[in-house]
Amino acid sequence: MKFKEIDSKLKDLVRTERKITAEIISVINDIDRQKLFLDLGHSSMFNYLTLGIGYSASAAQRRIEAARFSRHVPEVGEKLK
């Protein structure tokens, strides 16, 4: 692959990654806000994301904080998109 093709591919992947990350944060926000993790058999959002989903502790905490912050500052959620 030529450099320009690789560069273009990476840029496309990063755009996709950002979109997916924004969607994940949005879904985490919904689950957290409605406390659906309880219905899924978990005592906390953190427990659900680490034990139920398989995120590392630090990855789970970052996503929870991003979801909660975006709930209180809606512009953040829009910027993620």
Side-chain angles (χ1 to χ4, degrees):
M1 238 186 230
K2 293 181 180 179
F3 176 73
K4 287 188 179 197
E5 292 170 343
I6 293 172
D7 180 57
S8 178
K9 182 175 183 171
L10 180 58
K11 287 176 181 174
D12 287 343
L13 288 169
V14 169
R15 278 189 290 275
T16 300
E17 178 183 38
R18 287 180 181 151
K19 181 180 179 190
I20 291 170
T21 299
E23 290 177 30
I24 289 170
I25 297 302
S26 177
V27 172
I28 288 172
N29 187 22
D30 290 341
I31 292 170
D32 189 38
R33 187 174 38 81
Q34 298 176 55
K35 301 207 181 305
L36 297 177
F37 54 83
L38 296 172
D39 296 335
L40 297 167
H42 295 278
S43 60
S44 68
M45 191 68 203
F46 182 81
N47 183 276
Y48 169 64
L49 290 179
T50 55
L51 299 178
I53 300 299
Y55 279 125
S56 68
S58 60
Q61 191 61 41
R62 284 191 309 271
R63 284 160 179 78
I64 292 167
E65 289 174 3
R68 290 176 180 168
F69 188 67
S70 70
R71 188 181 320 157
H72 298 289
V73 184
E75 300 83 37
V76 170
E78 289 304 312
K79 292 234 183 222
L80 279 174
K81 293 176 186 176

